[in-house]
Amino acid sequence: MSTQLKDIAEEMQQKSMAARDWVFQVIRTAIIRGVLPGGMPLRQDEISAQLSVSHIPVREAFRQLDAQGLVRIYPNRGAVVTKLTKEELGNAMDTRIVLELGAIRAAVPHMTEECLEKAQAVLTEAAEENDPNKLEDLNLKFHFALYEAANNPFMVQLIEQIHANVDRYIRPYYTPSENYTQTVEEHTRLLEACRNKDVEFACALLRTHLERTKVLGLNSPLLAV
């Protein structure tokens, strides 16, 4: 875990970010990628040493992660990575579907050529990528490129938070496989519907896409019993 966390830290260079925000992003990414699995205790001292920061930004990052549902802070036990049950994942995915359908419905009428080209560029990049972690990051980037036209940052923030909670159970499917090939095809059709300003067809395609994603997640061996 130590090496993998450091690798993520190097990948996500701090640059101008506040230490708290950088530590939050590093730990959040590690949870989503499964480097820090559900049920794992998070040792403040260890993480401080691995990321070469003081205890303060780590403690603040734990609080942010707790607010997002990725970590639970227990009295006398400290922070522990959460682990969803099948019911919890199902509820999260149902909520995600409602939000994302609302986002695409609001976005399609306002999509510009620039917005559509941005989404197409993500699809093109994904076609040349084999790294599962990068593929799932690009999947998220594609969806948000479409929702941007809804001009509702609060909705997008909620969708991103749900993504963070469920993606660790879906990420294993983002490898060159039949499942991923189908995802690419669904994304391509969704983008075409958006180009045609066909709101109802775009919503139908997105619902089918997300319902399939829900089924994949519910079959994940990583879920709590």
Side-chain angles (χ1 to χ4, degrees):
M1 184 272 285
S2 175
T3 302
Q4 290 174 293
L5 193 63
K6 287 180 179 178
D7 288 343
I8 292 173
E10 289 180 9
E11 178 186 330
M12 306 183 69
Q13 296 177 12
Q14 186 172 352
K15 297 181 180 178
S16 60
M17 265 193 289
R20 175 197 62 190
D21 296 332
W22 177 68
V23 172
F24 165 74
Q25 291 294 344
V26 170
I27 299 175
R28 181 177 184 272
T29 300
I31 292 172
I32 293 171
R33 292 184 182 179
V35 172
L36 301 174
M40 173 179 278
L42 298 179
R43 308 297 182 195
Q44 188 173 291
D45 290 348
E46 291 179 9
I47 293 176
S48 295
Q50 289 163 14
L51 301 183
S52 301
V53 296
S54 71
H55 289 179
I56 295 173
V58 177
R59 188 163 56 246
E60 291 175 341
F62 284 176
R63 291 195 188 109
Q64 286 181 278
L65 292 161
D66 180 80
Q68 290 206 352
L70 293 170
V71 161
R72 281 288 172 266
I73 299 175
Y74 298 98
N76 304 318
R77 281 183 60 196
V80 179
V81 179
T82 57
K83 189 172 185 179
L84 297 183
T85 64
K86 182 171 285 193
E87 182 180 8
E88 288 170 336
L89 178 65
N91 289 339
M93 281 301 303
D94 287 342
T95 304
R96 175 181 165 184
I97 289 168
V98 170
L99 287 172
E100 295 201 37
L101 287 178
I104 200 72
R105 184 176 292 279
V108 171
H110 304 289
M111 286 184 185
T112 62
E113 189 59 32
E114 181 182 0
C115 169
L116 295 166
E117 288 304 316
K118 186 176 179 180
Q120 180 61 61
V122 176
L123 286 185
T124 301
E125 184 179 353
E128 300 172 358
E129 184 58 68
N130 291 314
D131 184 316
N133 290 320
K134 292 181 180 177
L135 283 172
E136 172 55 7
D137 291 341
L138 289 168
N139 169 68
L140 187 59
K141 192 174 178 181
F142 170 76
H143 281 271
F144 285 170
L146 297 180
Y147 305 154
E148 189 177 307
N151 195 28
N152 189 333
F154 184 74
M155 181 186 288
V156 170
Q157 185 178 24
L158 290 175
I159 293 170
E160 184 177 17
Q161 184 172 332
I162 295 174
H163 265 280
N165 276 275
V166 304
D167 280 3
R168 46 190 159 147
Y169 302 102
I170 299 164
R171 190 171 287 260
Y173 298 106
Y174 279 84
T175 56
S177 64
E178 183 178 341
N179 278 323
Y180 185 67
T181 298
Q182 187 171 347
T183 295
V184 172
E185 292 172 353
E186 290 170 356
H187 281 174
T188 302
R189 294 178 68 200
L190 175 59
L191 181 57
E192 186 61 27
C194 291
R195 283 190 186 280
N196 294 332
K197 303 290 186 185
D198 192 334
V199 176
E200 296 307 321
F201 190 41
C203 286
L205 289 171
L206 183 59
R207 177 181 286 280
T208 299
H209 174 65
L210 294 177
E211 289 285 2
R212 186 175 70 84
T213 302
K214 175 184 173 181
V215 171
L216 291 175
L218 290 174
N219 287 323
S220 172
L222 300 176
L223 287 172
V225 178

